[in-house]
Amino acid sequence: MRTTRVEPESHVPSPPTPANQPGDWDSLCGQVASCQRCGLHAGRTQTVFGVGARDAHWMIVGEAPGAEEDRRGEPFVGRAGKQLDEMLRAIGLSRETVFIANVLKCHPPGNRDPKPEEVAQCRPYLERQIGLIRPRLILAVGRVAAQNLLGTDAPLGRLRGRVHSFGERSTPLIVTYHPAYLLRAPAEKRKAWDDLKFACATLQSTQAATER
Ligand code: URA
């Protein structure tokens, strides 16, 4: 039986930057849109800020925009996006009711893994998004998102099935497979479904605890 105890994580603080100074949503959008903090800006069509409800209870965090996302300016709009939509639909959610963002706001060439310096430069934007949205639960999809959010190099298999804690507000964070991986390994969808049910139960139990 899984428990929903929130476990503390080591959390690497970001250096102060314009993006983690107090500021509102529009100024954050502007900062991201004009960002040149790493080399990825040179090859992008546009930045991919994120999409969804600004007061969402669920925040979904992926890795980085792919080529299609770079063209359209919206996260998870390619094949992996359709898979993510299906996962959300299975638990009664939609792109409009959650907020979807990525660790990186720019497309890495050839879909390579984000470099540590790119993640470090982009992290204040994600932290600020989380700070403004104040989600009740963060769902990290895939190894790259999970490892970067949690500041660990533990494999995804060890990060699933536990409630982690993110940031100063100790937001519960749950890890599941990346939708693109599920397209390649459909047999793992059952485990992803377990993760989603676990996330729903966690949200319910943390809500019940705060109402007590
Ligand atoms: N994969 C991601 O991690 N993010 C996207 O936005 C698209 C594909």
Side-chain angles (χ1 to χ4, degrees), residues 48 61-70 74-81 84 95 100-104 111 141-142 144-145 178-180:
V48 179
V61 181
E63 178 177 331
E68 182 71 9
E69 287 77 16
D70 172 72
E74 186 173 329
F76 283 102
V77 288
R79 278 188 72 224
L84 178 62
R95 301 172 75 78
I100 306 174
N102 284 307
V103 169
L104 291 190
N111 284 338
V141 296
V144 171
H178 194 284

Side-chain angles (χ1 to χ4, degrees), residues 21-48:
Q21 300 301 312
D24 65 12
W25 191 267
D26 291 341
S27 82
L28 180 61
C29 288
Q31 286 166 25
V32 169
S34 59
C35 182
Q36 300 196 350
R37 295 175 53 138
C38 80
L40 291 179
H41 78 273
R44 74 184 177 216
T45 306
Q46 59 194 312
T47 56
V48 179

Side-chain angles (χ1 to χ4, degrees), residues 84-100:
L84 178 62
D85 289 347
E86 222 174 85
M87 292 162 73
L88 293 175
R89 203 173 316 119
I91 50 170
L93 299 172
S94 66
R95 301 172 75 78
E96 292 76 34
T97 54
V98 303
F99 195 87
I100 306 174

